[in-house]
Amino acid sequence: IRDQIYSSKQFRFGPSADWQVNKTSNLTFTAGRETTERTNAARDRTWEDRYKLGYVNRSLPIRESALRLSYEFASRRGSTYNPSYDDAAYSAALFPMPTAIGSNVTSWAVRNLGALRSYYLADRDQHTANVRLDTPLRANLDAGLSFQTRQSQYQIGRAHV
């Protein structure tokens, strides 16, 4: 048995744009890519592309309230998934491997289960919508109401979850 050092490097970049429609309204657009490189993980590399469109209106007739709307789409993909990346960290001396013909070693209790993949590494498409309403109650106090919905679809192997 040996210890495995885990490390990761993360890179983010992308442009953004802000258009002032009038004195009280703005449209925003952001695009970005996040790339993560890992050592001793089931995937060496993942990348996620994000696109976000937003709208802000700061002149609602209800007590000078502000309305914020946004929609975001994100798509994560990655290098080949390897569920046995940590085979060298296990010792058959402490827990002997099953020797019966037809034994499924990937589902053996002491080892990682090949069917239990890590969702933070899985391919994913995600849709997120946000609505926020802010209104001033006094000169030094605001109240806000927010709503968010998120739908994620994971692809693990060839099956969608």
Side-chain angles (χ1 to χ4, degrees):
I1 294 180
R2 72 178 173 98
D3 198 11
Q4 286 191 317
I5 297 173
Y6 172 83
S7 67
S8 66
K9 291 180 184 179
Q10 194 173 46
F11 305 97
R12 289 184 185 160
F13 60 92
S16 64
D18 191 342
W19 177 49
Q20 187 171 356
V21 178
N22 55 39
K23 287 183 177 182
T24 59
S25 299
N26 286 51
L27 277 175
T28 59
F29 176 76
T30 306
R33 175 168 267 208
E34 176 182 295
T35 304
T36 306
E37 296 175 357
R38 298 174 182 82
T39 58
N40 293 320
R43 267 190 156 165
D44 293 331
R45 187 170 178 256
T46 58
W47 54 91
E48 184 164 16
D49 296 323
R50 292 182 173 271
Y51 305 97
K52 184 174 184 178
L53 182 63
Y55 172 74
V56 178
N57 184 334
R58 293 175 298 282
S59 68
L60 294 181
I62 308 165
R63 300 180 57 124
E64 300 177 7
S65 298
L67 176 67
R68 299 176 185 277
L69 306 170
S70 69
Y71 168 76
E72 181 176 352
F73 173 75
S75 177
R76 180 175 52 213
R77 300 294 182 259
S79 59
T80 304
Y81 193 92
N82 177 13
S84 349
Y85 69 94
D86 57 352
D87 281 347
Y90 291 96
S91 171
L94 291 176
F95 301 99
M97 299 295 284
T99 56
I101 295 174
S103 294
N104 184 358
V105 178
T106 60
S107 65
W108 194 42
V110 177
R111 303 182 60 81
N112 283 347
L113 300 176
L116 295 179
R117 295 197 174 188
S118 302
Y119 278 100
Y120 79 101
L121 296 172
D123 289 350
R124 179 196 72 204
D125 290 334
Q126 180 172 278
H127 302 271
T128 306
N130 294 294
V131 177
R132 181 171 177 88
L133 179 65
D134 292 312
T135 186
L137 299 178
R138 297 192 318 218
N140 62 352
L141 181 64
D142 286 355
L145 180 64
S146 64
F147 173 76
Q148 180 183 76
T149 181
R150 179 175 292 158
Q151 178 186 6
S152 299
Q153 184 176 16
Y154 290 89
Q155 182 179 355
I156 301 175
R158 294 182 181 169
H160 287 280
V161 177

